[in-house]
Amino acid sequence: AAAFAPSQNGRAPTDLSATRAVKKEAAPKKAPKAKAVAPDGLVGALPPVGFFDPAGFAAKASDAELARYREVEIMHGRFAQMAFLGFVIPEKCAYDGAFGDDFLAPTGRALEAFNTDPIWLALTLGVLSCLETVRLIETEPGSRTDAKIESIGWRPKSEAEFVNYQVRELQNGRLAMLAVAGEIVQELVNEKPLLVNLQDSGFVSF
């Protein structure tokens, strides 16, 4: 009877074929990265960016280091705002010929001061260095941004309004730092003054 039994031509499934039949499980999705949270008392977190700290400096810094970072940011912003005016005003004077044809010659760029007026430029940088040295000597960490102007009456009485003042200064300083960097790069690339570039682009007219 066994001779008449149907023969089994198919192979028995092996472990390998069984493994192939199993679908791969989907990899678990990574949890979204938590947004950086502004430390208590630190202003400057504004929508839509929020607290911008992509490198994680705030998370790694101590309270003293974080306070120093903010002081440095404020001072760089203040210098950048003055530097922006230091570009625009001399270039406008050169454009109008207020100080003669050789002022910021031949291109009329503020960067020409390194070639045309190196002595005045060195004196200006020297005065700024002396003022910065005095400021560092007379102040302590945590109070280095005090410009000694609160006695004039500029500080608002409302604490909320004072926070708004701080945010405005931060934002203006950040914008000025980007603007000055853009000015320098632009003038090095096409060797034209900022105002001439703005005029060529149709943003201003003289």
Side-chain angles (χ1 to χ4, degrees), residues 21 32 45 55 76 92 119 125 186 196 205:
H76 277 88
K92 183 64 168 65
I119 296 179
L125 294 177
Q186 167 258 306
V196 173
S205 60

Side-chain angles (χ1 to χ4, degrees), residues 1 4 7 11 14 23 47 54 62 68 79 85 88 95-96 116 121-122 136 145 155 164 169-170 178 188 196 203 206:
F4 297 98
S7 59
R11 295 181 180 178
T14 61
K23 294 182 178 180
S62 64
R68 180 178 177 275
F79 274 113
L85 296 177
V88 175
Y95 185 86
D96 295 336
T116 60
L121 183 64
L136 293 174
T145 59
R155 174 166 178 162
N164 289 334
E169 181 180 24
L170 276 172
L178 294 173
L188 290 174
V196 173
F203 288 101
F206 301 105

Side-chain angles (χ1 to χ4, degrees), residues 26-106:
K29 295 182 179 179
K30 294 183 179 180
K33 188 176 180 181
K35 294 183 178 180
V37 179
D40 294 337
L42 195 67
V43 302
L46 298 174
V49 178
F51 182 63
F52 186 72
D53 185 31
F57 289 121
K60 303 172 186 176
S62 64
D63 292 342
E65 291 173 333
L66 195 59
R68 180 178 177 275
Y69 291 162
R70 175 46 56 87
E71 287 182 339
V72 171
E73 181 184 19
I74 291 174
M75 294 309 302
H76 277 88
R78 291 175 180 175
F79 274 113
Q81 291 175 76
M82 291 188 291
F84 180 82
L85 296 177
F87 266 80
V88 175
I89 294 176
E91 288 183 358
K92 183 64 168 65
C93 293
Y95 185 86
D96 295 336
F99 297 103
D101 295 336
D102 59 341
F103 180 65
L104 299 183

Side-chain angles (χ1 to χ4, degrees), residues 166-199:
Q166 296 178 66
V167 173
R168 291 169 194 162
E169 181 180 24
L170 276 172
Q171 293 298 91
N172 285 323
R174 291 167 178 171
L175 180 61
M177 286 188 276
L178 294 173
V180 170
E183 285 176 333
I184 294 174
V185 172
Q186 167 258 306
E187 293 197 357
L188 290 174
V189 170
N190 64 6
E191 297 186 352
K192 291 182 179 181
L194 173 65
L195 296 178
V196 173
N197 277 278
L198 293 176
Q199 187 176 22

